[in-house]
Amino acid sequence: MMTRLLGTADAMSPLPKVGSEIIEAIERSRLVGRGGAGFPVATKWRAVAQRSRGDAVIVVNGAEGEPQSKKDRVLMSERPHLVLDGAFIAARVLRARAVILYIGERHDAARNAMLRALSARPESERRLVTTSAAPARYVAGAEAAAVHFLNEGIATPTNVPPYPFERGVGAAPTLVQNVETLAHIASLARTGQAPQTTLVTLAGAVKRPGVLEVEAHATIGDSVLRAGGAIEAPRAILVGGYFGSWVEPEHAWNLPLDADSLRRHGLGLGCGVIGVLPASRCPVCDTAGIMRYLAGESSAQCGPCFFGLRALADACTRVAERGTNPEDIKRLQRWAGEVRGRGACRHPDGAVMFLSSSLHVFAQEFAAHRAHNMSRSA
Amino acid sequence: MSKQFELSVDRMTCDGRGLCAELLPELIRLDDWGYPILTPGPIPEHLIPLAQRAVEDCPVLAIAMRRTQHKK
Ligand SMILES: Cc1cc2nc3c(=O)[nH]c(=O)nc-3n(C[C@H](O)[C@H](O)[C@H](O)COP(=O)(O)O)c2cc1C
Ligand code: SF4
């Protein structure tokens, strides 16, 4: 039987009676987190289970701060009970005293659907739950930032260790888990079947941008076709959103979306955004815009992230607005290498991974860019 | 297995004073904004006293030396 997340009626039914053996089932299914980092779920559950003395906290991460991503919102709107099932299964197995719904402050439809579903749940479940509005900033969805916000009202990352599983909300062992990951766990618990699909958001030059549920072995080309196909010849495909990588279309087309295949090509599905860049857009200008955004989203706590990303965005903007100069290209290469790994969180790493893929895939455009005026005429 | 030491920096505490790179240029250089770039891996035996000074003299105490296990 094929289980799906979307396009199936969302109904409440009593939670399946699962215990800690579900952790082995999760491990066998090789489920990895869908929030972006792709971390093995079973490892995280064991870490919390080991430390919980009935005091653990489950944070349901529906922050979805990635500008192009919509899949978490669509999932919360369409299958709120499935997400809640996952959260309450986690609460039972990890012996939690609290479940916190951490939903992006602008994701109104998603939050309303989750609250409506919650009101239909039994009192024994409802009394565990509180809700919290995640600030609409890119880093607010990062695990340590969520915990910092819930503890002190500041949605910026903190130093780790201690990791949330060691010392999280109210100093208790805390599981921060993406909403899609929780939904997969719920369907695994209900059906005994490993999840065979994944949610992606198709963005950019496709006929029908939006969220799709694709089979794990489907290729990027399949998912673009399911979104109605590209509306013009693509120049590149962004795999994994702003912390992801640009890939040449011919290379991307036949790549399967499952984590193992992507990893073999040095890629990751990240938060599941697949962005199609049409040949008519200027990749240098788009890269500059995204780098500017990411630089502005640094929480400004770590020098190399704050100054480094700003300098990288400035250099991209100079190439975009004034045209190529070899000094800036050399600086971009060098700084991208130097900034990596030098922040308290992975924000700078994600940003320079994205930039490095731009410099590689768009090497010709970066090497021969002519000044664009601000109106960006085609 | 032998016990060895490795340098680390607390990125949030560090505010780029640059003293560490002056004391230990063999292992620490500064990026274009004045923040330290550490050479990864175990600290060579003969530099351990200097590394200790970098740790102690950092005005904001952002540098640390940690014991690590390295397989020989
Ligand atoms: C800068 C940054 C932003 C992030 N934003 C989100 C987010 O909006 N939603 C999310 O689920 N995970 C986000 N993550 C990933 C979380 O840190 C964490 O890995 C995830 O919520 C864990 O759940 P998962 O293992 O189920 O993916 C972000 C990470 C970083 C470094
Ligand atoms: S690396 Fe950047 S985003 Fe992450 S905590 Fe440091 S300054 Fe903030």
Side-chain angles (χ1 to χ4, degrees):
Chain A
M1 183 183 69
M2 180 76 179
T3 61
R4 300 192 74 85
L5 301 182
L6 300 178
T8 327
D10 187 61
M12 192 190 59
S13 48
L15 278 192
K17 294 262 173 286
V18 292
S20 55
E21 76 286 348
I22 182 91
I23 300 181
E24 274 95 70
I26 293 172
E27 180 150 61
R28 280 194 302 276
S29 78
R30 311 191 57 218
L31 180 64
V32 296
R34 305 287 199 204
F39 191 79
V41 175
T43 308
K44 211 148 131 179
W45 279 45
R46 283 215 178 88
V48 176
Q50 253 167 36
R51 290 170 177 81
S52 175
R53 281 181 224 88
D55 61 341
V57 175
I58 312 298
V59 176
V60 176
N61 194 350
E64 193 162 57
E66 177 84 18
Q68 308 227 46
S69 182
K70 301 233 155 44
K71 57 112 177 156
D72 290 343
R73 266 167 278 178
V74 167
L75 179 67
M76 287 186 276
S77 301
E78 287 192 21
R79 299 297 308 275
H81 280 297
L82 194 63
V83 175
L84 290 174
D85 285 351
F88 292 126
I89 289 169
R92 181 187 292 168
V93 172
L94 305 178
R95 293 178 298 131
R97 67 173 160 78
V99 170
I100 303 171
L101 307 181
Y102 184 64
I103 300 171
E105 63 184 353
R106 296 190 187 151
H107 307 341
D108 294 327
R111 184 175 37 261
N112 292 340
M114 291 285 284
L115 292 178
R116 214 175 309 119
L118 182 65
S119 68
R121 308 288 296 210
E123 155 68 16
S124 58
E125 292 176 0
R126 261 184 331 192
R127 68 181 168 76
L128 296 175
V129 179
T130 52
T131 56
S132 173
R137 299 306 300 258
Y138 199 81
V139 300
E143 197 161 86
V147 168
H148 195 198
F149 183 72
L150 295 167
N151 282 336
E152 294 178 52
I154 307 167
T156 59
T158 54
N159 270 323
V160 287
Y163 288 93
F165 68 80
E166 298 168 307
R167 193 183 161 82
V169 176
T174 299
L175 178 83
V176 182
Q177 198 95 74
N178 172 262
V179 289
E180 185 192 349
T181 315
L182 289 168
H184 281 300
I185 291 163
S187 61
L188 172 66
R190 285 209 183 283
T191 65
Q193 278 263 330
Q196 288 151 347
T197 62
T198 185
L199 298 182
V200 291
T201 311
L202 272 286
V206 291
K207 207 164 278 166
R208 291 188 300 275
V211 177
L212 286 175
E213 180 167 11
V214 294
E215 281 160 45
H217 58 262
T219 62
I220 289 176
D222 293 335
S223 60
V224 172
L225 288 177
R226 276 195 48 202
I231 53 180
E232 59 170 290
R235 170 62 186 90
I237 298 190
L238 180 60
V239 181
Y242 288 179
F243 283 180
S245 299
W246 292 108
V247 185
E248 302 279 2
E250 9 354 314
H251 176 41
W253 205 256
N254 293 315
L255 276 181
L257 285 167
D258 70 277
D260 293 336
S261 312
L262 289 176
R263 197 174 317 113
R264 277 196 292 278
H265 289 86
L267 300 167
L269 193 55
C271 60
V273 168
I274 297 173
V276 176
L277 181 77
S280 61
R281 279 188 80 90
C282 171
V284 174
C285 293
D286 275 19
T287 298
I290 293 173
M291 286 306 293
R292 176 67 61 208
Y293 169 79
L294 291 173
E297 293 301 305
S298 164
S299 77
Q301 302 182 95
C302 312
C305 173
F306 178 66
F307 291 104
L309 295 189
R310 198 168 64 172
L312 284 164
D314 287 346
C316 286
T317 305
R318 279 195 299 273
V319 175
E321 289 181 355
R322 296 186 211 159
T324 297
N325 75 77
E327 285 311 305
D328 273 327
I329 304 296
K330 268 188 247 152
R331 281 191 196 107
L332 284 169
Q333 304 275 14
R334 179 163 59 84
W335 288 339
E338 286 179 354
V339 164
R340 174 179 228 116
R342 289 174 62 233
C345 81
R346 303 188 67 77
H347 183 69
D349 302 26
V352 298
M353 164 137 167
F354 164 80
L355 177 65
S356 298
S357 79
S358 278
L359 294 173
H360 178 68
V361 170
F362 307 131
Q364 287 184 4
E365 287 93 335
F366 269 94
H369 193 259
R370 291 204 304 214
H372 274 186
N373 65 25
M374 299 305 284
S375 65
R376 231 202 236 178
S377 49
Chain B
M1 302 274 261
S2 69
K3 289 214 166 72
Q4 288 180 313
F5 292 94
E6 217 166 55
L7 283 171
S8 68
V9 53
D10 179 331
R11 295 290 170 195
M12 290 197 179
T13 305
C14 173
D15 57 10
R17 310 274 181 109
L19 211 64
C20 56
E22 269 173 47
L23 290 169
L24 190 55
E26 295 88 345
L27 297 179
I28 305 179
R29 67 186 176 99
L30 300 181
D31 65 17
D32 289 354
W33 311 283
Y35 292 87
I37 299 178
L38 311 183
T39 309
I43 306 170
E45 195 81 20
H46 69 284
L47 292 176
I48 287 185
L50 279 175
Q52 205 115 42
R53 267 206 66 192
V55 170
E56 285 160 12
D57 289 2
C58 170
V60 294
L61 299 179
I63 306 278
M65 223 165 93
R66 274 197 303 241
R67 227 178 239 284
T68 49
Q69 302 278 349
H70 282 273
K71 291 201 183 79
K72 279 226 172 146

